[in-house]
Amino acid sequence: MGLVPTMGALHQGHLSLIKQARQQCSSVVASIFVNPTQFGPSEDFAKYPRTLPSDTEKLENAGVECLFLPEAKEIYPQNYSTYVNVEALSDRLEGRLRPGHFRGVSTVVMKLLQIVQPQFAYFGRKDAQQAAIISRMAKDLNLDSEIVVCPIEREADGLAMSSRNVYLQPSDRQSATVLHRALQAAQLLLQNGTRDALSLQSAMRGVLEEESKAKVDYAEIVDAQTFESLTHINRKAYVLIAAKFGETRLLDNVLVDFSENGQLTTEL
Ligand code: AMP
């Protein structure tokens, strides 16, 4: 059995996880739960898009056998007091900007894995730090579920699909493609032999500065396991960008890896 945890407002990104789960598993469970503990007090929990009727239809069409749709009071009953915190990894980058976010994510994913008991659980690389934290948790706590990290699904113009893209004003939607262009610039440098993180960062900054609407939180190169900053890229790494367009925060990344013969590969 495979589990695909989501917060609903389903798009092609979610459906790609389901497709991969269907290829590996004889039955697939999807969950939809807008998890209150991963939202900060000034974040968008109340207005997070909730589109259950169309989500249900998409899941049925995608061949999902079972939809788990818990209520908040079932997941967090009165006097609920146990939380999972993946240390260090949860404090960097997204965790530094969104205190408590990953504690909420790790806790709810732990509970979903305990309840559903899947052999495989599927997560998107779009949220690379989240996927790394869940993989760490599964290893550290000897969980039976294997964590599978799937590629990023993109719109035709390169924007990574996200439930939050619906918040974007039309002009911000256009501006948001700058994230993909900045990552492409970094990818090109890597493919041409640049291994120096500062050079990649300044190339990305150069592209991002062309778009005045982008308020950049970070453009960083990190070790793929620890999420510590790298100055020289000589192991599996992520080139990560987070930026705000109006009130909408978006994330994107390139995965950098090395084959056995030391050949660099990149995946946008
Ligand atoms: P969410 O509903 O935003 O919590 O996302 C549920 C799962 O879908 C997470 O594992 C996300 O990383 C994954 N996901 C979201 N957007 C994409 C995308 N564009 N491509 C692949 N996976 C995605």
Side-chain angles (χ1 to χ4, degrees):
M1 189 207 288
L3 171 66
V4 181
T6 81
M7 298 205 300
L10 301 180
H11 50 69
Q12 211 53 44
H14 299 111
L15 298 179
S16 71
L17 305 190
I18 288 165
K19 191 171 169 203
Q20 180 142 353
R22 295 240 306 159
Q23 281 164 7
Q24 278 184 299
C25 305
S26 55
S27 64
V28 176
V29 178
S31 63
I32 297 179
F33 180 60
V34 185
N35 174 36
T37 63
Q38 71 188 69
F39 288 80
S42 59
E43 292 184 1
D44 56 343
F45 174 68
K47 71 165 190 154
Y48 194 83
R50 288 162 171 87
T51 57
L52 188 58
S54 76
D55 288 353
T56 313
E57 195 180 323
K58 285 176 188 163
L59 293 175
E60 271 176 14
N61 291 339
V64 166
E65 271 81 14
C66 175
L67 168 59
F68 182 42
L69 198 65
E71 286 184 36
K73 62 178 190 294
E74 292 176 281
I75 298 292
Y76 303 111
Q78 225 185 359
N79 300 325
Y80 186 85
S81 14
T82 305
Y83 292 86
V84 181
N85 190 41
V86 178
E87 294 189 359
L89 246 181
S90 300
D91 298 329
R92 303 198 171 102
L93 297 162
E94 282 306 288
R96 194 166 52 79
L97 293 161
R98 303 181 68 188
H101 169 65
F102 286 127
R103 175 183 182 260
V105 170
S106 318
T107 302
V108 81
V109 171
M110 183 69 189
K111 287 185 61 98
L112 293 170
L113 295 174
Q114 288 296 103
I115 295 164
V116 178
Q117 301 272 325
Q119 279 78 48
F120 298 91
Y122 296 83
F123 295 86
R125 202 195 81 221
K126 185 182 75 70
D127 303 287
Q129 192 174 2
Q130 166 174 285
I133 286 170
I134 301 301
S135 302
R136 185 79 252 162
M137 173 182 81
K139 197 161 191 233
D140 288 352
L141 297 181
N142 309 89
L143 302 187
D144 287 331
S145 307
E146 183 176 318
I147 306 303
V148 184
V149 183
C150 305
I152 302 178
E153 285 292 314
R154 299 177 177 282
E155 302 288 355
D157 61 7
L159 180 70
M161 290 183 180
S162 164
S163 302
R164 289 190 167 100
N165 289 353
V166 298
Y167 297 152
L168 290 166
Q169 300 298 323
S171 66
D172 288 331
R173 167 67 188 79
Q174 177 57 36
S175 306
T177 57
V178 75
L179 300 183
H180 184 245
R181 292 197 300 280
L183 291 173
Q184 279 180 317
Q187 190 182 30
L188 192 64
L189 285 175
L190 283 161
Q191 285 165 350
N192 289 337
T194 304
R195 299 288 178 268
D196 166 47
L198 275 180
S199 307
L200 296 182
Q201 274 175 299
S202 66
M204 289 196 289
R205 292 271 173 193
V207 177
L208 292 164
E209 275 161 18
E210 286 165 18
E211 190 43 80
S212 59
K213 288 184 162 179
K215 303 276 173 287
V216 180
D217 280 335
Y218 55 79
E220 291 263 345
I221 295 91
V222 301
D223 177 281
Q225 261 79 48
T226 65
F227 275 64
E228 283 171 331
S229 291
L230 288 180
T231 50
H232 185 72
I233 301 159
N234 56 3
R235 53 186 181 271
K236 191 172 175 180
Y238 285 111
V239 181
L240 301 166
I241 299 185
K244 248 181 137 177
F245 297 83
E247 288 306 300
T248 311
R249 253 187 109 241
L250 301 178
L251 308 182
D252 205 344
N253 68 76
V254 179
L255 170 64
V256 185
D257 207 351
F258 293 85
S259 63
E260 294 215 327
N261 59 10
Q263 184 82 26
L264 178 136
T265 60
T266 59
E267 203 180 312
L268 194 54

